[in-house]
mmCIF file of all heavy atoms in Angstrom:
data_model
loop_
_atom_site.group_PDB
_atom_site.id
_atom_site.type_symbol
_atom_site.label_atom_id
_atom_site.label_comp_id
_atom_site.label_asym_id
_atom_site.label_seq_id
_atom_site.Cartn_x
_atom_site.Cartn_y
_atom_site.Cartn_z
ATOM 1 N N GLU A 343 29.839 15.049 -8.387
ATOM 2 C CA GLU A 343 31.240 15.462 -8.288
ATOM 3 C C GLU A 343 31.344 16.821 -7.581
ATOM 4 O O GLU A 343 32.238 17.029 -6.740
ATOM 5 C CB GLU A 343 31.877 15.536 -9.677
ATOM 6 C CG GLU A 343 32.103 14.159 -10.308
ATOM 7 C CD GLU A 343 32.781 14.250 -11.667
ATOM 8 O OE1 GLU A 343 33.279 15.335 -12.020
ATOM 9 O OE2 GLU A 343 32.819 13.221 -12.376
ATOM 10 N N LEU A 344 30.453 17.738 -7.908
ATOM 11 C CA LEU A 344 30.436 19.038 -7.241
ATOM 12 C C LEU A 344 30.120 18.877 -5.748
ATOM 13 O O LEU A 344 30.765 19.493 -4.893
ATOM 14 C CB LEU A 344 29.390 19.951 -7.891
ATOM 15 C CG LEU A 344 29.749 20.513 -9.272
ATOM 16 C CD1 LEU A 344 28.510 21.050 -9.970
ATOM 17 C CD2 LEU A 344 30.822 21.603 -9.155
ATOM 18 N N TYR A 345 29.149 18.035 -5.445
ATOM 19 C CA TYR A 345 28.775 17.805 -4.047
ATOM 20 C C TYR A 345 29.968 17.269 -3.252
ATOM 21 O O TYR A 345 30.273 17.750 -2.145
ATOM 22 C CB TYR A 345 27.606 16.821 -3.970
ATOM 23 C CG TYR A 345 27.172 16.516 -2.551
ATOM 24 C CD1 TYR A 345 26.161 17.238 -1.944
ATOM 25 C CD2 TYR A 345 27.792 15.500 -1.810
ATOM 26 C CE1 TYR A 345 25.766 16.976 -0.641
ATOM 27 C CE2 TYR A 345 27.409 15.229 -0.507
ATOM 28 C CZ TYR A 345 26.396 15.971 0.067
ATOM 29 O OH TYR A 345 26.029 15.712 1.369
ATOM 30 N N ASP A 346 30.623 16.273 -3.807
ATOM 31 C CA ASP A 346 31.742 15.642 -3.087
ATOM 32 C C ASP A 346 32.869 16.636 -2.827
ATOM 33 O O ASP A 346 33.467 16.631 -1.740
ATOM 34 C CB ASP A 346 32.262 14.438 -3.884
ATOM 35 C CG ASP A 346 31.265 13.286 -3.905
ATOM 36 O OD1 ASP A 346 30.365 13.262 -3.040
ATOM 37 O OD2 ASP A 346 31.376 12.420 -4.798
ATOM 38 N N GLU A 347 33.149 17.510 -3.795
ATOM 39 C CA GLU A 347 34.211 18.495 -3.594
ATOM 40 C C GLU A 347 33.801 19.561 -2.579
ATOM 41 O O GLU A 347 34.590 19.938 -1.706
ATOM 42 C CB GLU A 347 34.577 19.157 -4.917
ATOM 43 C CG GLU A 347 35.548 20.334 -4.792
ATOM 44 C CD GLU A 347 36.869 19.978 -4.108
ATOM 45 O OE1 GLU A 347 37.317 18.805 -4.222
ATOM 46 O OE2 GLU A 347 37.458 20.852 -3.448
ATOM 47 N N LEU A 348 32.580 20.028 -2.655
ATOM 48 C CA LEU A 348 32.125 21.067 -1.733
ATOM 49 C C LEU A 348 32.096 20.579 -0.287
ATOM 50 O O LEU A 348 32.241 21.364 0.648
ATOM 51 C CB LEU A 348 30.734 21.562 -2.143
ATOM 52 C CG LEU A 348 30.700 22.448 -3.402
ATOM 53 C CD1 LEU A 348 29.274 22.604 -3.913
ATOM 54 C CD2 LEU A 348 31.310 23.819 -3.105
ATOM 55 N N HIS A 349 31.917 19.282 -0.087
ATOM 56 C CA HIS A 349 31.852 18.735 1.266
ATOM 57 C C HIS A 349 33.163 18.109 1.719
ATOM 58 O O HIS A 349 33.275 17.703 2.872
ATOM 59 C CB HIS A 349 30.720 17.706 1.366
ATOM 60 C CG HIS A 349 29.350 18.313 1.309
ATOM 61 N ND1 HIS A 349 28.734 18.637 0.122
ATOM 62 C CD2 HIS A 349 28.489 18.673 2.298
ATOM 63 C CE1 HIS A 349 27.548 19.162 0.371
ATOM 64 N NE2 HIS A 349 27.369 19.199 1.682
ATOM 65 N N ARG A 350 34.121 18.047 0.838
ATOM 66 C CA ARG A 350 35.374 17.350 1.153
ATOM 67 C C ARG A 350 36.119 18.009 2.307
ATOM 68 O O ARG A 350 36.704 17.323 3.148
ATOM 69 C CB ARG A 350 36.264 17.312 -0.094
ATOM 70 C CG ARG A 350 37.552 16.515 0.072
ATOM 71 C CD ARG A 350 38.259 16.396 -1.265
ATOM 72 N NE ARG A 350 38.646 17.683 -1.788
ATOM 73 C CZ ARG A 350 39.770 18.312 -1.456
ATOM 74 N NH1 ARG A 350 40.616 17.768 -0.592
ATOM 75 N NH2 ARG A 350 40.067 19.486 -1.983
ATOM 76 N N ARG A 351 36.068 19.316 2.380
ATOM 77 C CA ARG A 351 36.845 20.025 3.408
ATOM 78 C C ARG A 351 36.017 20.348 4.651
ATOM 79 O O ARG A 351 36.538 20.964 5.580
ATOM 80 C CB ARG A 351 37.415 21.318 2.830
ATOM 81 C CG ARG A 351 38.409 21.073 1.696
ATOM 82 C CD ARG A 351 39.080 22.356 1.267
ATOM 83 N NE ARG A 351 39.988 22.156 0.155
ATOM 84 C CZ ARG A 351 40.744 23.125 -0.368
ATOM 85 N NH1 ARG A 351 40.682 24.353 0.132
ATOM 86 N NH2 ARG A 351 41.538 22.858 -1.383
ATOM 87 N N MET A 352 34.767 19.946 4.656
ATOM 88 C CA MET A 352 33.955 20.207 5.838
ATOM 89 C C MET A 352 34.337 19.232 6.944
ATOM 90 O O MET A 352 34.655 18.067 6.673
ATOM 91 C CB MET A 352 32.466 20.067 5.505
ATOM 92 C CG MET A 352 31.963 21.157 4.570
ATOM 93 S SD MET A 352 30.177 21.052 4.315
ATOM 94 C CE MET A 352 29.927 22.498 3.282
ATOM 95 N N PRO A 353 34.307 19.682 8.206
ATOM 96 C CA PRO A 353 34.722 18.824 9.331
ATOM 97 C C PRO A 353 33.968 17.507 9.393
ATOM 98 O O PRO A 353 34.543 16.470 9.710
ATOM 99 C CB PRO A 353 34.443 19.696 10.566
ATOM 100 C CG PRO A 353 34.439 21.107 10.049
ATOM 101 C CD PRO A 353 33.934 21.032 8.654
ATOM 102 N N THR A 354 32.675 17.539 9.098
ATOM 103 C CA THR A 354 31.868 16.314 9.192
ATOM 104 C C THR A 354 31.676 15.637 7.849
ATOM 105 O O THR A 354 31.027 14.591 7.765
ATOM 106 C CB THR A 354 30.485 16.646 9.779
ATOM 107 O OG1 THR A 354 29.845 17.627 8.953
ATOM 108 C CG2 THR A 354 30.614 17.176 11.192
ATOM 109 N N GLY A 355 32.247 16.213 6.800
ATOM 110 C CA GLY A 355 32.057 15.638 5.477
ATOM 111 C C GLY A 355 30.621 15.814 5.004
ATOM 112 O O GLY A 355 29.856 16.594 5.551
ATOM 113 N N GLY A 356 30.241 15.081 3.985
ATOM 114 C CA GLY A 356 28.889 15.193 3.446
ATOM 115 C C GLY A 356 27.909 14.299 4.181
ATOM 116 O O GLY A 356 28.278 13.326 4.822
ATOM 117 N N ASP A 357 26.644 14.669 4.100
ATOM 118 C CA ASP A 357 25.551 13.880 4.663
ATOM 119 C C ASP A 357 25.099 12.883 3.594
ATOM 120 O O ASP A 357 24.700 13.276 2.499
ATOM 121 C CB ASP A 357 24.417 14.828 5.057
ATOM 122 C CG ASP A 357 23.181 14.088 5.519
ATOM 123 O OD1 ASP A 357 23.246 12.865 5.704
ATOM 124 O OD2 ASP A 357 22.143 14.746 5.693
ATOM 125 N N ALA A 358 25.134 11.601 3.928
ATOM 126 C CA ALA A 358 24.811 10.566 2.949
ATOM 127 C C ALA A 358 23.391 10.722 2.406
ATOM 128 O O ALA A 358 23.148 10.515 1.208
ATOM 129 C CB ALA A 358 24.991 9.183 3.570
ATOM 130 N N ARG A 359 22.449 11.106 3.243
ATOM 131 C CA ARG A 359 21.075 11.259 2.783
ATOM 132 C C ARG A 359 20.938 12.469 1.869
ATOM 133 O O ARG A 359 20.195 12.420 0.872
ATOM 134 C CB ARG A 359 20.110 11.389 3.966
ATOM 135 C CG ARG A 359 20.012 10.180 4.847
ATOM 136 C CD ARG A 359 19.654 8.908 4.113
ATOM 137 N NE ARG A 359 18.277 8.868 3.636
ATOM 138 C CZ ARG A 359 17.742 7.829 3.018
ATOM 139 N NH1 ARG A 359 18.477 6.738 2.773
ATOM 140 N NH2 ARG A 359 16.488 7.846 2.590
ATOM 141 N N SER A 360 21.663 13.563 2.164
ATOM 142 C CA SER A 360 21.618 14.732 1.281
ATOM 143 C C SER A 360 22.171 14.385 -0.094
ATOM 144 O O SER A 360 21.619 14.797 -1.125
ATOM 145 C CB SER A 360 22.405 15.891 1.892
ATOM 146 O OG SER A 360 21.777 16.381 3.049
ATOM 147 N N ARG A 361 23.246 13.643 -0.116
ATOM 148 C CA ARG A 361 23.825 13.228 -1.400
ATOM 149 C C ARG A 361 22.848 12.348 -2.164
ATOM 150 O O ARG A 361 22.716 12.437 -3.386
ATOM 151 C CB ARG A 361 25.145 12.486 -1.165
ATOM 152 C CG ARG A 361 25.962 12.244 -2.437
ATOM 153 C CD ARG A 361 27.250 11.484 -2.120
ATOM 154 N NE ARG A 361 28.173 11.486 -3.237
ATOM 155 C CZ ARG A 361 28.123 10.623 -4.260
ATOM 156 N NH1 ARG A 361 27.166 9.698 -4.304
ATOM 157 N NH2 ARG A 361 29.008 10.695 -5.241
ATOM 158 N N LEU A 362 22.136 11.495 -1.427
ATOM 159 C CA LEU A 362 21.138 10.627 -2.047
ATOM 160 C C LEU A 362 20.012 11.437 -2.669
ATOM 161 O O LEU A 362 19.547 11.140 -3.778
ATOM 162 C CB LEU A 362 20.577 9.666 -0.996
ATOM 163 C CG LEU A 362 19.656 8.548 -1.498
ATOM 164 C CD1 LEU A 362 20.465 7.502 -2.253
ATOM 165 C CD2 LEU A 362 18.929 7.897 -0.331
#
Side-chain angles (χ1 to χ4, degrees):
E343 289 182 12
L344 286 164
Y345 179 93
D346 291 341
E347 172 57 30
L348 287 166
H349 289 83
R350 185 173 62 85
R351 296 187 182 183
M352 292 185 177
T354 58
D357 174 9
R359 295 305 289 183
S360 292
R361 191 181 192 276
L362 188 72

